[in-house]
Every structure is written in C-alpha cells, then in structure tokens.
C-alpha cells in the first residue's frame, strides 16, 4: 500500500524514506543503480494508484513472443508484449495481485486476487491464450472472509495451489481443481501474520513460501499443504536494508537446489533488496534509475522475475517492476535486464 504522497517523491527519489512516525531517514546501506531497458504502455486508469502487479510468461520456442500480464487494480488485467505494447485488456474489476503457471496439458493458468467484494475474498482464474495474447475467463472461487490482497501460485507435482493473502495478514492455501468445466478450490491450510501483508512468492523447487508483512519484513513458510503453519522472519524492516512498505517479492532461481535470490520491493525508498535463497543472507540493493530513454521506478508495488533467454535485450532473464509515478502518463511497468542487475550488485 502506498503511504507516501506525490509531494514527497522528489525527496524520496534522492534516497530518503519515512519511518512509521514519519521521521525522515536516509538508508546508510547503498543501492546500486540500473536503468530500464523497456516499459509498458500505461494502464487505463489515470490519476490513481492503479497499476499493481506483473506476471511473466516466457515463450521458450520464441522468446521475443513472451508476454507480461499486469493488473490495473481499479479495472482489470492487461497483457503486454516485450516491446511494452498493450495487446489485450479484460474488464474484471478490482484485481490486485496476479501470478501464472504453465500446467502442461491444462495450459498456462493465470490467477488474480479478486477484491471486488471487500468483505469476501475470491480467486479469479483464467487461461492465457499464448498465441492470441488474450485471457480466457475460467471462473472465480470463494476463498473466505476478508479483502483479497496478495496472491501467488505453487505447483506440487500435478497439483496447483494458490496462496491468498488477506489484507489483515491471513494466508489461505487453496488446492485448485481444474479438471471440470469450472474450477473449484479447497482451503487446505491457514497461516497468519500479525499485520497487513500482501506480496508473496512460492518456490516450487524447495517448497518454500515467502510473504511480505508490509511494516515488519519478509517471512518464510513451508509451502507444502502438510507443513507447519509457523513462519520464520528472514528479513526485517530496519530502515536501512529494507524500508517499509515491504511490497512485491519474487524469486530469481539459479542452478540446482536452492540456488538463486529473493528480490523484495523496498517501497519506502524506491529500491529493491536482494537476499540469497540458500541461507537468507543479504546480498545488496538496487534501484531502477532514470536513463536517457526510460524513467525511474518509484513506490513500486508488485515485481516479477523470469529466468532464461528473452532475446538480445534481456538475454539472461527479465525483471519487471510496477512504477507508481510515471508522469505525464498513468502508472505502468518497467523492464530491466537481470544481467544489468547482477553486474550492478557484483554477483555472478
């Protein structure tokens, strides 16, 4: 949730953030700078905090034909191509977070947290028609009381699970059944964080779930349906390495086992904090700074990363971040190359 006014953006862009008491602090932990290599068209809702969360589908056969699904949380879902062109929009109302998984014969399944009814959370499901770049609605699934906020998908074998993060910090794990004419879901487990939470990501390789508690930090849970419901804090909001609000979280998997990195949106100072998945250790921070072609990102909500070859502009992986301040246009999403981020952080 954005708790900073546009009037503060010039101050914050210089590296200053605010604590819960609105006392300005300047993080002493430096943030490296990278520049965006692309951006999307703006979302349709102008003059509002509207763009929120991206999800990347990589076309293995033709990387240039890869697609990005992005939410306009006031209106619906967009599909963008790698040039940033808005290829498709579907009006499904207030959907906040989005994720996708390639489920083989079932196709690429897209899920979004549906908060059209703020008192009763729902999960909206779609199939991504990758050839036509469009979304085919499959239906909605009720997932209990409260406001649907965060969402991420987790695949365990042939079973697809959705984690719905309710705004009050409740986390519900839903086992999805996509075999029928309309999808259904069963809540198999519930976890709870103390305060408002949103961003989440699940690692299919290690069966770990990471959830951002906005004013506290990042938690790690066992993602398996039979796992313990207690979580462990792996990164705390300290105003230095991680500045509230904690927003989007994503994985940059590398190698076998638990190799790679966790990337977290440190919204309060327009940066992204990076942690090593193998031992939760802090790696560094970076910002997407203004360049000659594309602007900086500020007040980022959702982020996503996908490894692999996306063509000559993004040869080693693609990072996508929501941009909360994109004048003179409405909010949009910026694209950055993983190769640039790794070089800026000095990691191999």
């Amino acid at each position: 949730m954005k708790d900073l006014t546009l009037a503060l953006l010039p101050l914050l862009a210089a590296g200053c953030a605010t604590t819960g008491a609105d006392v300005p602090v300047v993080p002493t932990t430096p943030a490296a700078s990278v520049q965006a290599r692309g951006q999307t068209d703006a979302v349709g809702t102008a003059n509002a905090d509207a763009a929120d969360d991206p999800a990347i589908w990589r076309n293995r056969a033709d990387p240039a034909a890869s697609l990005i699904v992005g939410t306009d949380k006031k209106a619906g879902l967009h599909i963008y191509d790698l040039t940033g062109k808005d290829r498709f929009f579907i009006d499904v109302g207030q959907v906040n977070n989005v994720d996708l998984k390639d489920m083989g014969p079932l196709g690429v399944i897209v899920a979004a947290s549906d908060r059209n009814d703020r008192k009763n959370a729902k999960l909206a499901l779609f199939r991504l028609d990758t050839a036509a770049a469009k979304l085919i609605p499959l239906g909605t699934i009720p997932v209990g009381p409260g406001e649907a906020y965060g969402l991420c998908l987790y695949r365990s074998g042939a079973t697809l699970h959705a984690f719905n993060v309710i705004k009050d910090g409740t986390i519900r794990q839903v086992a999805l059944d996509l075999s029928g004419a309309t999808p259904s879901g069963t809540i198999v487990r519930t976890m709870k964080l103390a305060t408002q939470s949103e961003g989440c990501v699940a690692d299919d390789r290690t069966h770990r779930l990471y959830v951002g508690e906005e004013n506290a930090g990042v938690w790690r849970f066992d993602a398996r349906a039979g796992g313990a419901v207690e979580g462990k804090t792996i990164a705390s909001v300290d105003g230095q390495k991680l500045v509230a609000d904690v927003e989007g979280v994503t994985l940059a998997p590398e190698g076998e086992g638990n190799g790679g990195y966790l990337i977290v949106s440190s919204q309060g100072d327009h940066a992204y904090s990076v942690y090593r998945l193998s031992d939760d250790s802090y790696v560094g921070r970076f910002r997407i700074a203004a360049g000659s072609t594309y602007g900086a990102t500020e007040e980022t909500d959702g982020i996503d990363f996908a490894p692999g070859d996306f063509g000559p502009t993004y040869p080693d992986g693609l990072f996508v971040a929501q941009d909360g301040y994109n004048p003179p246009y409405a909010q949009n999403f910026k694209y950055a190359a993983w190769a640039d981020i790794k070089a800026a952080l000095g990691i191999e």
Side-chain angles (χ1 to χ4, degrees):
M1 182 182 72
K2 293 179 172 63
D3 57 3
L4 304 172
T5 65
L6 294 181
L8 286 174
L9 280 170
L11 176 65
L12 296 174
C16 186
T18 59
T19 66
D22 293 326
V23 178
V25 296
V26 179
T28 57
T29 308
S33 292
V34 300
Q35 295 179 357
R37 293 194 184 191
Q39 68 177 356
T40 69
D41 292 335
V43 298
T45 303
N47 303 315
D49 176 22
D52 194 89
D53 193 40
I56 303 167
W57 173 74
R58 176 175 172 264
N59 187 327
R60 295 182 181 181
D62 182 6
S66 299
L67 301 170
I68 292 88
V69 181
T71 61
D72 178 335
K73 61 189 175 186
K74 308 292 186 183
L77 290 162
H78 293 266
I79 295 180
Y80 305 98
D81 62 23
L82 279 191
T83 71
K85 181 181 178 181
D86 192 346
R87 299 278 302 277
F88 176 84
F89 174 75
I90 184 169
D91 182 357
V92 289
Q94 300 179 52
V95 287
N96 199 55
N97 279 192
V98 65
D99 200 3
L100 59 80
K101 289 285 183 183
D102 188 338
M103 295 301 292
L106 295 174
V108 178
I109 302 300
V110 176
S113 52
D114 184 331
R115 61 174 185 167
N116 285 292
D117 180 351
R118 298 301 175 90
K119 294 183 179 180
N120 296 285
K122 292 181 181 179
L123 174 67
L125 292 172
F126 309 83
R127 182 175 288 108
L128 175 61
D129 182 333
T130 58
K134 63 187 295 185
L135 291 168
I136 302 168
L138 299 177
T140 58
I141 298 171
V143 290
E147 181 178 342
Y149 214 45
L151 175 135
C152 54
L153 295 175
Y154 162 62
R155 182 173 182 175
S156 178
T159 303
L160 185 63
H161 294 250
F163 290 98
N164 277 88
V165 182
I166 306 304
K167 197 170 186 178
D168 68 0
T170 301
I171 306 162
R172 299 191 184 107
Q173 183 170 359
V174 184
L176 301 176
D177 183 351
L178 305 172
S179 61
T182 58
S184 61
T186 302
I187 297 174
V188 296
R189 195 167 57 133
T190 300
M191 290 85 83
K192 183 71 171 72
L193 294 176
T195 61
Q196 183 167 308
S197 305
E198 182 179 3
C200 71
V201 66
D203 192 336
D204 297 346
R205 308 169 306 161
T206 60
H207 311 290
R208 291 176 172 179
L209 169 71
Y210 300 87
V211 183
E213 186 178 4
E214 293 190 358
N215 289 315
V218 181
W219 292 75
R220 188 182 69 218
F221 293 88
D222 190 330
R224 292 168 290 196
V229 297
E230 295 79 15
K232 175 185 178 181
T233 304
I234 64 166
S236 297
V237 168
D238 59 4
Q240 304 301 319
K241 296 175 182 175
L242 190 58
V243 182
D245 287 347
V246 173
E247 289 290 340
V249 293
T250 191
L251 299 171
E254 290 191 344
E256 301 297 327
N258 60 353
Y261 305 91
L262 177 75
I263 308 173
V264 183
S265 172
S266 176
Q267 190 187 76
D269 71 325
H270 315 310
Y272 310 95
S273 300
V274 181
Y275 303 86
R276 193 168 280 106
L277 289 171
S278 59
D279 58 7
D280 306 326
S281 60
Y282 171 76
V283 174
R285 312 171 75 244
F286 69 95
R287 291 190 178 92
I288 298 178
S292 59
T293 305
Y294 305 106
T297 58
E298 293 97 1
E299 291 199 333
T300 294
D301 280 320
I303 58 177
D304 196 22
F305 172 82
D309 177 18
F310 282 82
T313 306
Y314 312 100
D316 299 315
L318 173 65
F319 177 75
V320 179
Q322 182 261 5
D323 185 6
Y325 187 64
N326 185 46
Y329 306 104
Q331 296 177 346
N332 73 346
F333 301 89
K334 298 290 196 294
Y335 300 169
W338 181 232
D340 292 346
I341 295 169
K342 292 179 72 174
L345 294 175
I347 57 178
E348 297 182 357

